[in-house]
């Protein structure tokens, strides 16, 4: 039985052979919503629908995304990671002198 283009799944090397971007650019595009999200095909294996990849190549994927409903915005109350900003007042004078 042969898979049609609409239900065939492509692994990352096949996707990157069709879409001329680097792996890091591909995953950044997924995070930003420019490229389709993968489908889990196993515990650690991911694949993309060939129809979605063809839409990316044709330039119609972003048009489909623009007409769909946008995802919910990230919560503004999420704690920041890393060092606090430099303009934060510290409680002890010795820490303020650093």
């Amino acid at each position: 039985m042969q898979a049609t283009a609409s239900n065939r799944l492509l692994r990352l090397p096949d996707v990157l052979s069709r879409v001329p971007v680097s792996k890091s650019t591909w995953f950044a595009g997924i995070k930003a919503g420019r490229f389709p999200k993968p489908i889990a095909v196993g515990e650690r294996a991911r694949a993309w629908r060939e129809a979605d990849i063809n839409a990316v190549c044709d330039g119609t994927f972003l048009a489909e995304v623009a007409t769909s409903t946008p995802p919910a915005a990230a919560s503004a109350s999420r704690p920041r990671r890393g060092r606090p900003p430099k303009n934060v007042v510290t409680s002890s004078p010795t820490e303020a002198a650093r």
Side-chain angles (χ1 to χ4, degrees):
M1 181 173 135
Q2 222 159 12
T4 62
S6 62
N7 63 3
R8 186 172 170 210
L9 296 177
L10 302 174
R11 297 295 303 269
L12 185 61
D14 296 327
V15 170
L16 295 179
S17 70
R18 293 178 182 211
V19 181
V21 296
S22 68
K23 188 188 301 188
S24 59
T25 301
W26 177 254
F27 285 111
I30 291 171
K31 187 175 181 179
R34 291 188 308 269
F35 300 133
K37 292 182 179 180
I39 298 168
V41 293
E43 188 176 324
R44 294 179 52 190
R46 302 292 181 261
W48 288 263
R49 292 190 313 232
E50 186 175 30
D52 290 343
I53 301 307
N54 290 339
V56 169
C57 294
D58 296 342
T60 58
F61 179 74
L62 289 177
E64 293 170 8
V65 172
T67 59
S68 66
T69 57
S75 174
S77 63
R78 189 173 80 201
R80 289 184 46 150
R81 299 170 102 187
R83 299 177 117 182
K86 291 186 177 187
N87 60 357
V88 173
V89 177
T90 57
S91 59
S92 72
T94 56
E95 288 183 19
R98 288 185 197 181

